[in-house]
Amino acid sequence: ANLLNNAGRFTERGGRVEVATRVEGQTAIVSVSDNGVGIAPALLSRLFDPFSQAEQDLARSKGGLGLGLALTKGLVELHGGHITAESAGPGRGATFALRLPLSPERTLSAEPHVDRNVESRAVRILVVEDNEDAADTLGDLLELAGHQIKIAYDGPSALEAAKSFRPRIVISDIGLPGEVDGYAVARALRSAEETRGALLIALSGYASSEARERASAAGFDLHLAKPPDLAKLENAIAQVTGAERRSRRTPEFWMPEH
């Protein structure tokens, strides 16, 4: 987007901007070329440096060259590639080329792969979080992993949902609004027949030993700091996948330090 915006900004009306792609070996090359104002040779050597700018009159009228190209360079390098710029000089246009490594080729089967174990691995998970964006995002991620998700944005809603949804796993924020916080949710779920054996995972911005001990006393099995480590979360979920938990303390109470 940055390269296209620059090409349009530095090319006068009626000019030409072209995008081309090609493959060389295991490298994909995407080039953006224009026949606009061009780039002076002295600027080419520092074009991708942060806050590098062209002449002031051009910078003021066209927006200049500041952080955009430096960020573009950084993003391309994070993908294992690199970016180059070429120009024959002022008034003679410019070409930027992105070079990105291709993934190894894979042989595609004529029949789509169907994971026969997805259904057996799926579990009912109740997500309790008052930050709606965070709750919905976590819910989407877990749903993409094949689980059945229910979301509640406060304590009372969580307890009401748990009665009919009967989650096998509950992931609950501690700092919920109102009188029913995460600790109260955990205590209530532990006392209810429908959720007594569920795996309870606490999410908290606090990772002190006191916070972990309080979570344990309330009935949580695990304590994860925000934002949750998805690998640890999936490991916890995997422990109850495929079979009902045999007891409240299986798996053992685990409180990671970070």
Side-chain angles (χ1 to χ4, degrees), residues 3-8 17-20 30-34 94-98:
L3 296 182
L4 289 171
N5 286 334
N6 282 348
V17 175
E18 296 180 347
V19 178
V30 181
S31 63
V32 179
S33 304
D34 64 70
T95 297
F96 289 81
L98 305 177

Side-chain angles (χ1 to χ4, degrees), residues 24 30 60 85 109 142:
E24 292 183 359
V30 181
R60 282 195 296 267
S109 170
L142 294 171

